[in-house]
Amino acid sequence: MKLLDIGVLSERSGVPPSTLRYYEEVGLIESQARHGLRRQFGSETLTQLALISLGKTAGFSLGEMKNMFGKDGVLDLPRTALRARADKLDLQIRKLATLRNALRHAAECPAENHMECPKFRRLLRVASQSRPPRAPDDPKF
């Protein structure tokens, strides 16, 4: 197995050495050896770091991600948690699309006063409700 010095791993992954040390401290990755005081990692750590980056982007906590790696570093993705996270992302996408449409409408609305615009007032009602907004392609939007 080819070992990567922490500096090389940092350069190839784009993850700062301080973050790599922290990930090791919390048990997300594991160094295989040391060369002097410098940690050395297996090349599979690059894959683990890519998965960690993907998990962070999806909104998983480091603790949740730690549980996705088995004791031997083998990936064990909980499909139920992945589906639930995808559902949350769908909701977030719908909310962001509604916000984008509201901003575009407000910027281009021909009404002198936005409060006189029926569409803008509907957008305000949607924004003030606690339930998820309608999809932007909904004809009632």
Side-chain angles (χ1 to χ4, degrees):
M1 169 183 9
K2 182 177 179 186
L3 295 178
L4 302 172
D5 182 79
I6 191 169
V8 172
L9 181 62
S10 174
E11 185 179 305
R12 287 191 186 169
S13 67
V15 178
S18 59
T19 302
L20 294 172
R21 288 188 289 275
Y22 178 71
Y23 285 171
E24 183 177 24
E25 182 182 317
V26 298
L28 282 169
I29 61 174
E30 186 177 340
S31 62
Q32 303 299 314
R34 289 195 183 253
H35 182 68
L37 295 177
R38 297 179 66 84
R39 294 170 170 90
Q40 296 195 316
F41 297 86
S43 57
E44 73 281 352
T45 307
L46 284 167
T47 302
Q48 288 176 303
L49 291 171
L51 288 166
I52 291 167
S53 177
L54 182 64
K56 284 173 56 178
T57 301
F60 286 102
S61 71
L62 294 180
E64 289 171 316
M65 286 185 277
K66 181 180 176 183
N67 292 331
M68 293 180 190
F69 292 110
K71 298 281 186 213
D72 54 1
V74 174
L75 189 62
D76 182 21
L77 296 175
R79 294 178 191 274
T80 303
L82 295 176
R83 282 187 201 96
R85 187 62 51 150
D87 290 344
K88 284 183 179 180
L89 288 172
D90 283 339
L91 178 59
Q92 186 178 7
I93 289 167
R94 285 193 303 274
K95 286 180 177 181
L96 288 171
T98 299
L99 177 59
R100 177 203 59 215
N101 292 343
L103 292 173
R104 285 208 173 121
H105 179 77
E108 298 166 8
C109 183
E112 262 187 60
N113 180 334
H114 286 98
M115 296 310 291
E116 295 171 5
C117 173
K119 185 172 183 177
F120 185 76
R121 292 182 68 81
R122 274 195 314 274
L123 291 169
L124 287 178
R125 275 196 308 278
V126 168
S128 68
Q129 296 171 352
S130 60
R131 65 177 173 78
R134 291 186 175 128
D137 56 350
D138 187 329
K140 296 178 186 173
F141 184 71

